[in-house]
């Protein structure tokens, strides 16, 4: 890995702002490989040295990936001059790690959103070639039925002629259904259900690959993914086989 300034290395870890870090380093609170370093501009290879802050070792991880329970009402983008984004909901240290949302959820969609600074991983997750299933809970007008299930399984054609890959629809009753899609076209789930005359009233993403959102995070909650979680995300599935 390339050498990086110490204040930058710590900034990438989300420890504090760059200006706070310069103070912290100058005051002698940071050790690199056991020796106190007081020059923020001194460069190190973060992957090959042991950095401590106040005696606590900071595990160096260049690539970081988080999941969050995106609340409805915020944009899944890194910044917007007028509207609130997921980074306005998350603690500031996450905003300093160079994370970006992996794909998008609509402003009014809630649920599992991945955020990473690993561009290659993001590409693998988004790429249609990876065929990673994404499961949603939809609340719709009307009641999805067996005909809708069949139409989803065969691959729908949207109002504008767009062809969709086969998808899974599981009616749950009371105007609710589970939808699993292997692709990520613009407003895909809403447009698929609208094409069947079942407009979406609320949409929540429950899983990406084998990674489930669960209930424990709560709206705006987040956690970092470990290797096992990432394997679950990249697990590829199939529909209708
Ligand atoms: N499909 C949609 O229509 N909206 C989303 O946010 C995600 C999938």
């Amino acid at each position: 890995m390339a050498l990086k300034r110490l204040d930058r290395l710590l900034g990438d870890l989300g420890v504090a702002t760059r200006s706070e870090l310069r103070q912290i380093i100058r005051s002698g609170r940071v050790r690199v490989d056991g020796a106190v370093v007081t020059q923020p501009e001194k460069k190190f290879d973060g992957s090959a040295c042991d950095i401590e802050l106040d005696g606590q070792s900071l595990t160096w991880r260049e690539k970081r990936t988080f999941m969050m329970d995106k609340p409805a009402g915020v944009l899944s983008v890194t910044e917007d001059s007028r509207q609130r984004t997921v980074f306005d909901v998350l603690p500031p240290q996450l905003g300093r790690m160079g994370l970006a949302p992996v794909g998008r959820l609509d402003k009014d969609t809630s649920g599992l959103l991945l955020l990473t600074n690993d561009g290659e991983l993001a590409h693998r997750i988004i790429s249609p070639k990876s065929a990673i299933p994404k499961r949603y809970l939809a609340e719709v007008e009307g009641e999805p039925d067996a005909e809708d299930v069949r139409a989803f399984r065969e691959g729908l054609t949207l109002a504008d002629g767009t062809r969709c890959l086969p998808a899974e629809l599981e009616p749950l009753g009371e105007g609710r259904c589970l939808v699993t899609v292997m692709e990520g076209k613009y407003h895909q789930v809403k447009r698929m259900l609208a094409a069947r005359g079942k407009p979406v009233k609320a949409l929540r993403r429950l899983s990406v690959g084998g990674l489930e959102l669960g209930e424990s995070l709560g709206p705006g909650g987040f956690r970092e993914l470990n290797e096992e979680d990432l394997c679950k995300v990249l697990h590829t599935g199939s529909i209708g086989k």
Side-chain angles (χ1 to χ4, degrees), residues 36-157:
V36 172
V37 177
T38 53
Q39 303 107 299
E41 65 283 358
K42 200 158 173 189
K43 291 186 175 174
F44 297 93
D45 176 350
S47 61
C49 62
D50 181 28
I51 304 178
E52 286 170 66
L53 170 64
D54 296 333
Q56 296 272 341
S57 183
L58 301 170
T59 315
W60 173 255
R61 269 158 298 148
E62 194 182 4
K63 294 178 177 169
R64 306 191 69 175
T65 302
F66 293 79
M67 65 189 273
M68 81 174 290
D69 186 343
K70 175 194 172 297
V74 294
L75 301 178
S76 45
V77 296
T78 44
E79 56 183 84
D80 190 272
S81 55
R82 286 174 299 137
Q83 300 191 61
R84 275 161 55 80
T85 78
V86 288
F87 288 97
D88 293 313
V89 174
L90 292 165
Q93 73 264 26
L94 266 78
R96 294 195 286 266
M97 290 180 196
L99 302 172
V102 179
R104 297 227 171 142
L105 287 181
D106 297 336
K107 182 177 172 183
D108 58 359
T109 299
S110 66
L112 176 51
L113 181 68
L114 298 173
L115 303 146
T116 188
N117 61 0
D118 181 347
E120 198 186 319
L121 175 72
H123 178 74
R124 275 176 75 193
I125 296 172
I126 294 168
S127 168
K129 282 193 204 137
S130 301
I132 292 177
K134 287 151 283 244
R135 193 159 50 97
Y136 296 83
L137 173 64
E139 214 181 298
V140 299
E141 283 173 30
E143 203 62 66
D145 57 21
E147 269 304 290
D148 299 321
V149 174
R150 191 189 51 75
F152 268 57
R153 194 176 293 143
E154 283 175 0
L156 276 174
T157 302

